[in-house]
Amino acid sequence: MTTSSGPQVVTLTANPSLDRTLTLPGPLHRGGVARLAASTTEPGGKGVNVARAVAAAGVDVLAVLPAATDDPFVRELTAIGLPPAVVPVPSPVRTNYTLTEPDGTTTKLNEPGAALDDDVRTALGSLLTAAAGTARWVALSGSLPKGTPVDWYAQLVRQLRATGVRIAVDTSEAPLLALMAAGPEAAPDLVKPNTEELAQLAGTTEAALLADPGAVRAAVDDLHRRGVAEVLLTLGADGAMLSTAAGCWSAAPPPTTVRSTVGAGDSSLAGYVLADLAGAAPEQRLATAVAYGSAAAGLPGSAVPRPDQADPSAVSVQPTA
């Protein structure tokens, strides 16, 4: 880790999980018996995945999350050199299960997370605000547990604005819709939707959105009109698109043998933030994001890439209209 007066990146994972990855020897057959190959268990949740990838690059990062101090999840994170800042909750951190098939097909089974009461949410917000005083980026990532107000991310963006930190949000469904409906004062600096999430915002289906490149551009432009400065649209095997006030670019990933897609989008966000911390231009930030996402897809389970495993020079970036 680099030495500094505090973390350069802070992440919030409101719904952390122990990610258990089960490797199938062949296609999954319902009702059958599968003799599993190697399996792994890693601390996860979208913000935690971002933090792990940032930490692997040697950058100071703090993961903020709800969990008991003696929860196995906290012990796992501490064991890999990433002790989190926690607000204690009585329920154990959930376990999510990922089934991976030899062709890269991934099936996820996610347990529900622990509910967060008002006191826990207030304490998490206070931790974020305090840590943001030294940080350059705060990433609010993932789903919200049962009972959490759907506009909580919007509330946190407003709360963090006074710190001057740049804010990224990566979420979906009701929390994403509520965030973008909350007005420009709650708009983050960066959102990272995938095509399904962009379709949710546009009020259409993913298939309809992808069938019309103009509809994709219009949906991204609408996010800018709502106050979002930068939109990083991840496109899976097709790479990603970045839209900023300086222009718009698309990026094609290098050839990748997909082993697991879990955490690939989170690694993309980590790569983008790392490139921004290094002072990279928008095109290079996009290339690094795609390189990190592709590298993550080539790793087993929910593993995140090290810098030497992500090669931005292998990513083709082109300006788009």
Side-chain angles (χ1 to χ4, degrees):
M1 292 287 190
T2 57
T3 301
S4 72
S5 58
Q8 291 185 273
V9 178
V10 180
T11 69
L12 171 67
T13 308
N15 219 0
S17 62
L18 276 171
D19 287 347
R20 179 85 170 151
T21 300
L22 309 176
T23 304
L24 298 170
L28 177 65
H29 295 289
R30 292 183 61 200
V33 175
R35 304 194 182 281
L36 300 174
S39 62
T40 61
T41 302
E42 295 171 302
K46 294 182 73 63
V48 168
N49 293 338
V50 173
R52 288 167 54 210
V54 169
V59 172
D60 287 318
V61 58
L62 180 66
V64 176
L65 52 94
T69 55
D70 60 348
D71 194 288
F73 180 91
V74 175
R75 294 200 296 270
E76 289 273 356
L77 269 183
T78 302
I80 63 173
L82 191 60
V86 301
V87 173
V89 292
S91 301
V93 170
R94 63 183 177 147
T95 299
N96 288 344
Y97 300 88
T98 300
L99 310 180
T100 60
E101 301 177 33
D103 66 354
T105 299
T106 299
T107 302
K108 287 187 64 64
L109 306 171
N110 292 348
E111 291 184 341
L116 307 180
D117 62 26
D118 291 346
D119 290 341
V120 170
R121 292 196 304 274
T122 297
L124 287 168
S126 295
L127 275 177
L128 279 176
T129 302
T134 65
R136 291 173 59 187
W137 277 97
V138 169
L140 312 176
S141 300
S143 61
L144 296 178
K146 181 181 178 181
T148 304
V150 294
D151 67 342
W152 190 42
Y153 281 147
Q155 296 174 32
L156 289 172
V157 171
R158 294 189 190 100
Q159 181 175 329
L160 289 164
R161 275 287 168 233
T163 68
V165 73
R166 300 193 74 199
I167 305 165
V169 178
D170 180 11
T171 189
S172 61
E173 299 177 343
L176 178 61
L177 295 174
L179 175 72
M180 298 318 306
E185 70 281 0
D189 298 279
L190 170 71
V191 292
K192 193 212 71 60
N194 57 29
T195 51
E196 180 181 4
E197 292 155 357
L198 188 67
Q200 291 169 5
L201 287 168
T204 186
T205 65
E206 184 178 18
L209 184 76
L210 293 178
D212 182 1
V216 173
R217 182 70 251 184
V220 169
D221 287 343
D222 185 59
L223 294 180
H224 290 312
R225 283 192 293 271
R226 298 191 196 195
V228 178
E230 300 170 9
V231 179
L232 177 63
L233 174 64
T234 52
L235 303 169
D238 293 326
M241 184 180 86
L242 174 65
S243 179
T244 75
C248 184
W249 301 265
S250 61
T256 303
T257 299
V258 176
R259 300 182 67 184
S260 173
T261 59
V262 178
D266 308 324
S267 292
S268 293
L269 178 55
Y272 187 90
V273 167
L274 287 167
D276 183 75
L277 291 175
E283 302 95 318
Q284 190 64 20
R285 299 200 298 269
L286 176 59
T288 306
V290 171
Y292 263 76
S294 297
L299 296 173
S302 56
V304 297
R306 304 183 308 269
D308 63 294
Q309 294 173 309
D311 182 10
S313 69
V315 176
S316 173
V317 179
Q318 301 292 332
T320 60

